[in-house]
Amino acid sequence: MIETILLPSDFSATATNAGLYAIELANQIGAKKIVVYHTYEAASVSEPLSASLTQRLITEPFKQKSAAQLNEFVDLLNTKNTTNVAIEAFHSYAELKDAMNELIKATSAQLIVMGITGGGKLKETLVGSNSVTVAKSSNIPVMIVPTEAGYKHIGKILLLSDLKDIEQTSPVDAIKNVLDVTKAELYILNVTNNIDKAAESEGKQQLESLLANYTPSFHFMTNSDFGAAVDSFVKDREIDMVIVVPKKQGIFESIFSVNHTKTLAFHSKVPLMAIKH
């Protein structure tokens, strides 16, 4: 079950789109609540003051502004909310990436939904983004919604897999939960330089066994450009959402790495869900 969705927001157009997407998603999967979160950050001061006075002087204006903007944003989302999902506001003084797992505990969220660019334009040369950073550190699945992605009923899900160390690194229970709440068809794609070997691999057999109740269809592609291969498959099969499992690996390891997850997030035209192993 996914009953609570956590929606970090900076009130940008991208964040608004992610919020509208979250409302429709909640309706499809039966979620009951969306918690909109915003963090207010302090400015620096040049003169040293006592710790308590400094904290109060710096944070109070930002706290008040944050609360006002957050309530306005929730009101905006509620004007678009034609479902029974409740939308609540939550804000605090913290670095977003550091706050997320505490927020998950505080809100009992089972899913995070975020836009990809955060505030303003984010160039691919910039190291990371809030969404990618959260996806790498979150203890629960993170859905990254591209700015241009309007909501479409999730009927087809693509799981990307390198078919390596399946039993040790596959978050099978979390994947099953997503499939249960969406009722979507499952496609599994492996981008490889040896299709015959991949099709007969132990990893393929293990993954097929673990997800047998969902009758996944396996597909294999050869393409030196991983992102292009995935993009082509998504378009040809009209996929509604892509699931990735970020892995921290060495430079000579599988192409299915954190770097490729980041590339997919920037280029994907459909939502990308990252689920940590």
Short mmCIF file of all heavy atoms in Angstrom, two decimals, residues 110-160:
data_model
loop_
_atom_site.label_atom_id
_atom_site.label_comp_id
_atom_site.label_asym_id
_atom_site.label_seq_id
_atom_site.Cartn_x
_atom_site.Cartn_y
_atom_site.Cartn_z
N GLN A 110 5.29 6.67 2.08
CA GLN A 110 5.80 5.48 1.39
C GLN A 110 6.36 5.80 0.01
O GLN A 110 6.92 4.93 -0.66
CB GLN A 110 4.69 4.43 1.24
CG GLN A 110 4.16 3.86 2.53
CD GLN A 110 3.01 4.68 3.10
OE1 GLN A 110 2.31 5.39 2.39
NE2 GLN A 110 2.80 4.57 4.40
N LEU A 111 6.19 7.06 -0.43
CA LEU A 111 6.65 7.46 -1.76
C LEU A 111 6.95 8.95 -1.76
O LEU A 111 6.22 9.73 -1.15
CB LEU A 111 5.58 7.15 -2.82
CG LEU A 111 5.84 7.63 -4.25
CD1 LEU A 111 7.03 6.89 -4.86
CD2 LEU A 111 4.61 7.45 -5.13
N ILE A 112 8.04 9.33 -2.45
CA ILE A 112 8.38 10.73 -2.65
C ILE A 112 8.16 11.06 -4.12
O ILE A 112 8.55 10.29 -5.00
CB ILE A 112 9.84 11.02 -2.28
CG1 ILE A 112 10.07 10.76 -0.79
CG2 ILE A 112 10.23 12.46 -2.64
CD1 ILE A 112 11.53 10.81 -0.37
N VAL A 113 7.53 12.19 -4.40
CA VAL A 113 7.34 12.66 -5.77
C VAL A 113 8.01 14.03 -5.89
O VAL A 113 7.75 14.92 -5.08
CB VAL A 113 5.85 12.76 -6.15
CG1 VAL A 113 5.69 13.38 -7.54
CG2 VAL A 113 5.19 11.38 -6.12
N MET A 114 8.88 14.19 -6.90
CA MET A 114 9.60 15.45 -7.10
C MET A 114 9.71 15.77 -8.58
O MET A 114 9.70 14.87 -9.42
CB MET A 114 11.03 15.36 -6.54
CG MET A 114 11.12 15.11 -5.05
SD MET A 114 12.83 15.07 -4.46
CE MET A 114 13.29 16.81 -4.63
N GLY A 115 9.84 17.07 -8.89
CA GLY A 115 10.19 17.47 -10.24
C GLY A 115 11.69 17.33 -10.42
O GLY A 115 12.43 17.22 -9.44
N ILE A 116 12.16 17.39 -11.66
CA ILE A 116 13.58 17.12 -11.90
C ILE A 116 14.47 18.33 -11.77
O ILE A 116 15.61 18.23 -11.37
CB ILE A 116 13.79 16.46 -13.28
CG1 ILE A 116 15.28 16.15 -13.51
CG2 ILE A 116 13.25 17.31 -14.41
CD1 ILE A 116 15.90 15.28 -12.48
N THR A 117 14.00 19.55 -12.08
CA THR A 117 14.93 20.66 -12.14
C THR A 117 15.04 21.46 -10.86
O THR A 117 15.96 22.26 -10.72
CB THR A 117 14.54 21.65 -13.27
OG1 THR A 117 13.25 22.18 -12.99
CG2 THR A 117 14.57 20.98 -14.61
N GLY A 118 14.16 21.28 -9.92
CA GLY A 118 14.19 22.12 -8.73
C GLY A 118 13.81 23.53 -9.13
O GLY A 118 12.84 23.72 -9.84
N GLY A 119 14.53 24.54 -8.72
CA GLY A 119 14.22 25.91 -9.09
C GLY A 119 15.08 26.40 -10.22
O GLY A 119 16.29 26.22 -10.22
N GLY A 120 14.48 27.01 -11.22
CA GLY A 120 15.25 27.56 -12.34
C GLY A 120 15.80 26.46 -13.23
O GLY A 120 15.53 25.29 -13.05
N LYS A 121 16.63 26.85 -14.20
CA LYS A 121 17.18 25.89 -15.14
C LYS A 121 18.39 25.19 -14.55
O LYS A 121 19.27 25.82 -13.98
CB LYS A 121 17.57 26.57 -16.45
CG LYS A 121 16.41 26.77 -17.40
CD LYS A 121 16.92 27.06 -18.80
CE LYS A 121 15.77 27.00 -19.80
NZ LYS A 121 16.25 27.23 -21.18
N LEU A 122 18.42 23.90 -14.69
CA LEU A 122 19.54 23.12 -14.19
C LEU A 122 20.26 22.49 -15.36
O LEU A 122 19.69 21.72 -16.11
CB LEU A 122 19.05 22.03 -13.24
CG LEU A 122 20.13 21.12 -12.66
CD1 LEU A 122 21.04 21.93 -11.73
CD2 LEU A 122 19.51 19.98 -11.89
N LYS A 123 21.52 22.81 -15.55
CA LYS A 123 22.28 22.26 -16.66
C LYS A 123 22.79 20.88 -16.28
O LYS A 123 23.07 20.58 -15.14
CB LYS A 123 23.46 23.17 -17.02
CG LYS A 123 23.03 24.54 -17.53
CD LYS A 123 24.24 25.36 -17.93
CE LYS A 123 23.80 26.75 -18.40
NZ LYS A 123 22.99 26.71 -19.61
N GLU A 124 22.94 20.03 -17.29
CA GLU A 124 23.38 18.67 -17.02
C GLU A 124 24.81 18.62 -16.50
O GLU A 124 25.22 17.64 -15.91
CB GLU A 124 23.25 17.83 -18.29
CG GLU A 124 21.83 17.60 -18.70
CD GLU A 124 21.74 16.74 -19.95
OE1 GLU A 124 22.65 15.94 -20.17
OE2 GLU A 124 20.77 16.89 -20.68
N THR A 125 25.57 19.68 -16.73
CA THR A 125 26.94 19.71 -16.25
C THR A 125 27.01 19.95 -14.75
O THR A 125 28.03 19.71 -14.12
CB THR A 125 27.75 20.80 -16.96
OG1 THR A 125 27.05 22.04 -16.82
CG2 THR A 125 27.90 20.48 -18.44
N LEU A 126 25.93 20.45 -14.16
CA LEU A 126 25.90 20.65 -12.73
C LEU A 126 25.91 19.29 -12.04
O LEU A 126 25.20 18.37 -12.44
CB LEU A 126 24.64 21.41 -12.34
CG LEU A 126 24.53 21.87 -10.88
CD1 LEU A 126 25.66 22.83 -10.55
CD2 LEU A 126 23.19 22.54 -10.66
N VAL A 127 26.70 19.16 -11.00
CA VAL A 127 26.82 17.88 -10.31
C VAL A 127 25.57 17.64 -9.47
O VAL A 127 25.37 18.27 -8.43
CB VAL A 127 28.06 17.83 -9.42
CG1 VAL A 127 28.14 16.49 -8.69
CG2 VAL A 127 29.32 18.04 -10.25
N GLY A 128 24.74 16.73 -9.93
CA GLY A 128 23.55 16.35 -9.18
C GLY A 128 22.45 17.39 -9.24
O GLY A 128 22.58 18.47 -9.78
N SER A 129 21.33 17.05 -8.68
CA SER A 129 20.20 17.96 -8.49
C SER A 129 19.51 17.50 -7.23
O SER A 129 19.78 16.41 -6.72
CB SER A 129 19.23 17.89 -9.68
OG SER A 129 18.50 16.69 -9.63
N ASN A 130 18.61 18.31 -6.72
CA ASN A 130 17.90 17.88 -5.52
C ASN A 130 17.21 16.54 -5.72
O ASN A 130 17.26 15.66 -4.86
CB ASN A 130 16.86 18.94 -5.12
CG ASN A 130 17.48 20.10 -4.39
OD1 ASN A 130 18.54 19.98 -3.79
ND2 ASN A 130 16.83 21.24 -4.44
N SER A 131 16.57 16.38 -6.85
CA SER A 131 15.82 15.15 -7.10
C SER A 131 16.74 13.94 -7.14
O SER A 131 16.45 12.89 -6.55
CB SER A 131 15.04 15.26 -8.41
OG SER A 131 14.13 16.33 -8.36
N VAL A 132 17.84 14.06 -7.87
CA VAL A 132 18.76 12.94 -8.00
C VAL A 132 19.42 12.64 -6.66
O VAL A 132 19.59 11.48 -6.27
CB VAL A 132 19.82 13.23 -9.08
CG1 VAL A 132 20.88 12.13 -9.12
CG2 VAL A 132 19.15 13.37 -10.44
N THR A 133 19.77 13.70 -5.92
CA THR A 133 20.38 13.52 -4.60
C THR A 133 19.44 12.80 -3.65
O THR A 133 19.83 11.87 -2.94
CB THR A 133 20.78 14.88 -4.00
OG1 THR A 133 21.71 15.51 -4.87
CG2 THR A 133 21.41 14.71 -2.64
N VAL A 134 18.18 13.22 -3.64
CA VAL A 134 17.19 12.57 -2.78
C VAL A 134 16.99 11.12 -3.20
O VAL A 134 16.88 10.22 -2.36
CB VAL A 134 15.86 13.34 -2.81
CG1 VAL A 134 14.75 12.54 -2.12
CG2 VAL A 134 16.02 14.69 -2.13
N ALA A 135 16.94 10.88 -4.50
CA ALA A 135 16.73 9.52 -5.00
C ALA A 135 17.85 8.59 -4.55
O ALA A 135 17.63 7.40 -4.31
CB ALA A 135 16.64 9.53 -6.52
N LYS A 136 19.06 9.12 -4.44
CA LYS A 136 20.21 8.31 -4.04
C LYS A 136 20.24 8.03 -2.54
O LYS A 136 20.83 7.05 -2.11
CB LYS A 136 21.50 9.01 -4.46
CG LYS A 136 21.76 9.00 -5.95
CD LYS A 136 22.77 10.06 -6.37
CE LYS A 136 24.11 9.90 -5.69
NZ LYS A 136 25.08 10.91 -6.16
N SER A 137 19.59 8.89 -1.75
CA SER A 137 19.70 8.76 -0.30
C SER A 137 18.41 8.30 0.38
O SER A 137 18.44 7.84 1.53
CB SER A 137 20.13 10.10 0.31
OG SER A 137 19.19 11.11 0.04
N SER A 138 17.30 8.40 -0.31
CA SER A 138 16.01 8.09 0.31
C SER A 138 15.85 6.60 0.61
O SER A 138 16.27 5.74 -0.16
CB SER A 138 14.87 8.54 -0.61
OG SER A 138 13.63 8.07 -0.14
N ASN A 139 15.18 6.32 1.73
CA ASN A 139 14.89 4.94 2.10
C ASN A 139 13.61 4.42 1.46
O ASN A 139 13.28 3.24 1.63
CB ASN A 139 14.78 4.83 3.63
CG ASN A 139 16.11 5.07 4.32
OD1 ASN A 139 17.16 4.75 3.78
ND2 ASN A 139 16.06 5.66 5.51
N ILE A 140 12.89 5.29 0.78
CA ILE A 140 11.67 4.87 0.09
C ILE A 140 11.77 5.27 -1.38
O ILE A 140 12.60 6.09 -1.75
CB ILE A 140 10.41 5.49 0.74
CG1 ILE A 140 10.45 7.02 0.64
CG2 ILE A 140 10.26 5.03 2.18
CD1 ILE A 140 9.17 7.69 1.13
N PRO A 141 10.93 4.69 -2.24
CA PRO A 141 10.98 5.02 -3.67
C PRO A 141 10.78 6.51 -3.92
O PRO A 141 10.02 7.18 -3.22
CB PRO A 141 9.83 4.20 -4.26
CG PRO A 141 9.69 3.04 -3.34
CD PRO A 141 9.97 3.60 -1.97
N VAL A 142 11.49 7.01 -4.93
CA VAL A 142 11.39 8.42 -5.32
C VAL A 142 10.98 8.49 -6.78
O VAL A 142 11.67 7.95 -7.66
CB VAL A 142 12.73 9.16 -5.13
CG1 VAL A 142 12.61 10.61 -5.60
CG2 VAL A 142 13.17 9.11 -3.67
N MET A 143 9.85 9.13 -7.07
CA MET A 143 9.40 9.32 -8.44
C MET A 143 9.80 10.71 -8.90
O MET A 143 9.44 11.71 -8.29
CB MET A 143 7.89 9.14 -8.56
CG MET A 143 7.37 9.40 -9.98
SD MET A 143 5.57 9.20 -10.13
CE MET A 143 5.44 7.42 -10.21
N ILE A 144 10.57 10.77 -9.98
CA ILE A 144 11.02 12.03 -10.55
C ILE A 144 10.17 12.35 -11.78
O ILE A 144 10.12 11.56 -12.73
CB ILE A 144 12.52 11.95 -10.93
CG1 ILE A 144 13.35 11.65 -9.69
CG2 ILE A 144 12.97 13.24 -11.59
CD1 ILE A 144 14.82 11.40 -9.98
N VAL A 145 9.49 13.48 -11.74
CA VAL A 145 8.54 13.85 -12.79
C VAL A 145 9.13 14.97 -13.66
O VAL A 145 9.35 16.07 -13.17
CB VAL A 145 7.20 14.32 -12.19
CG1 VAL A 145 6.21 14.65 -13.30
CG2 VAL A 145 6.64 13.26 -11.25
N PRO A 146 9.39 14.70 -14.94
CA PRO A 146 9.89 15.76 -15.83
C PRO A 146 8.88 16.88 -15.98
O PRO A 146 7.67 16.65 -15.89
CB PRO A 146 10.09 15.03 -17.18
CG PRO A 146 10.14 13.57 -16.83
CD PRO A 146 9.25 13.41 -15.62
N THR A 147 9.37 18.09 -16.21
CA THR A 147 8.49 19.25 -16.33
C THR A 147 7.45 19.07 -17.41
O THR A 147 6.31 19.51 -17.28
CB THR A 147 9.33 20.51 -16.63
OG1 THR A 147 10.30 20.68 -15.61
CG2 THR A 147 8.45 21.75 -16.70
N GLU A 148 7.83 18.40 -18.52
CA GLU A 148 6.92 18.27 -19.65
C GLU A 148 5.99 17.07 -19.53
O GLU A 148 5.18 16.80 -20.42
CB GLU A 148 7.69 18.19 -20.96
CG GLU A 148 8.63 17.00 -21.08
CD GLU A 148 10.01 17.29 -20.54
OE1 GLU A 148 10.15 18.16 -19.67
OE2 GLU A 148 10.97 16.64 -20.98
N ALA A 149 6.08 16.34 -18.43
CA ALA A 149 5.26 15.12 -18.28
C ALA A 149 3.93 15.44 -17.61
O ALA A 149 3.87 15.73 -16.42
CB ALA A 149 6.02 14.07 -17.47
N GLY A 150 2.85 15.39 -18.40
CA GLY A 150 1.52 15.49 -17.82
C GLY A 150 1.09 14.11 -17.34
O GLY A 150 1.68 13.10 -17.75
N TYR A 151 0.08 14.06 -16.49
CA TYR A 151 -0.28 12.75 -15.95
C TYR A 151 -0.95 11.87 -17.00
O TYR A 151 -1.81 12.31 -17.76
CB TYR A 151 -1.23 12.87 -14.75
CG TYR A 151 -1.42 11.54 -14.07
CD1 TYR A 151 -0.45 11.05 -13.21
CD2 TYR A 151 -2.53 10.74 -14.34
CE1 TYR A 151 -0.58 9.81 -12.62
CE2 TYR A 151 -2.68 9.50 -13.75
CZ TYR A 151 -1.70 9.03 -12.88
OH TYR A 151 -1.83 7.80 -12.31
N LYS A 152 -0.52 10.64 -17.02
CA LYS A 152 -1.13 9.61 -17.84
C LYS A 152 -1.28 8.37 -16.98
O LYS A 152 -0.36 8.01 -16.25
CB LYS A 152 -0.24 9.30 -19.06
CG LYS A 152 -0.82 8.23 -19.98
CD LYS A 152 0.17 7.90 -21.10
CE LYS A 152 -0.36 6.76 -21.95
NZ LYS A 152 0.65 6.32 -22.96
N HIS A 153 -2.44 7.75 -17.03
CA HIS A 153 -2.68 6.55 -16.24
C HIS A 153 -1.53 5.57 -16.42
O HIS A 153 -1.12 5.26 -17.54
CB HIS A 153 -4.00 5.89 -16.67
CG HIS A 153 -4.34 4.67 -15.87
ND1 HIS A 153 -5.07 4.73 -14.69
CD2 HIS A 153 -4.03 3.35 -16.05
CE1 HIS A 153 -5.21 3.51 -14.21
NE2 HIS A 153 -4.59 2.66 -15.01
N ILE A 154 -0.98 5.08 -15.31
CA ILE A 154 0.17 4.18 -15.38
C ILE A 154 -0.32 2.75 -15.64
O ILE A 154 -0.81 2.07 -14.75
CB ILE A 154 1.00 4.24 -14.08
CG1 ILE A 154 1.52 5.65 -13.88
CG2 ILE A 154 2.17 3.24 -14.13
CD1 ILE A 154 2.24 5.87 -12.57
N GLY A 155 -0.18 2.34 -16.89
CA GLY A 155 -0.61 1.00 -17.28
C GLY A 155 0.53 0.11 -17.71
O GLY A 155 0.39 -1.11 -17.77
N LYS A 156 1.69 0.74 -18.01
CA LYS A 156 2.87 -0.02 -18.43
C LYS A 156 4.10 0.52 -17.69
O LYS A 156 4.40 1.71 -17.76
CB LYS A 156 3.10 0.11 -19.94
CG LYS A 156 2.01 -0.50 -20.80
CD LYS A 156 2.34 -0.34 -22.28
CE LYS A 156 1.27 -0.95 -23.17
NZ LYS A 156 1.61 -0.79 -24.61
N ILE A 157 4.78 -0.37 -16.99
CA ILE A 157 5.98 0.00 -16.24
C ILE A 157 7.17 -0.74 -16.81
O ILE A 157 7.11 -1.95 -17.07
CB ILE A 157 5.82 -0.33 -14.75
CG1 ILE A 157 4.81 0.62 -14.11
CG2 ILE A 157 7.17 -0.24 -14.01
CD1 ILE A 157 4.52 0.32 -12.64
N LEU A 158 8.26 0.00 -17.00
CA LEU A 158 9.51 -0.60 -17.49
C LEU A 158 10.52 -0.64 -16.35
O LEU A 158 10.84 0.39 -15.76
CB LEU A 158 10.08 0.22 -18.65
CG LEU A 158 11.47 -0.19 -19.14
CD1 LEU A 158 11.46 -1.61 -19.70
CD2 LEU A 158 11.99 0.79 -20.19
N LEU A 159 11.02 -1.82 -16.05
CA LEU A 159 12.09 -2.00 -15.08
C LEU A 159 13.39 -2.21 -15.84
O LEU A 159 13.50 -3.13 -16.64
CB LEU A 159 11.80 -3.21 -14.18
CG LEU A 159 12.95 -3.67 -13.27
CD1 LEU A 159 13.31 -2.58 -12.25
CD2 LEU A 159 12.58 -4.97 -12.56
N LEU A 160 14.37 -1.35 -15.57
CA LEU A 160 15.68 -1.50 -16.18
C LEU A 160 16.55 -2.37 -15.27
O LEU A 160 16.61 -2.12 -14.06
CB LEU A 160 16.34 -0.14 -16.39
CG LEU A 160 15.57 0.86 -17.24
CD1 LEU A 160 16.33 2.17 -17.33
CD2 LEU A 160 15.32 0.30 -18.64
#
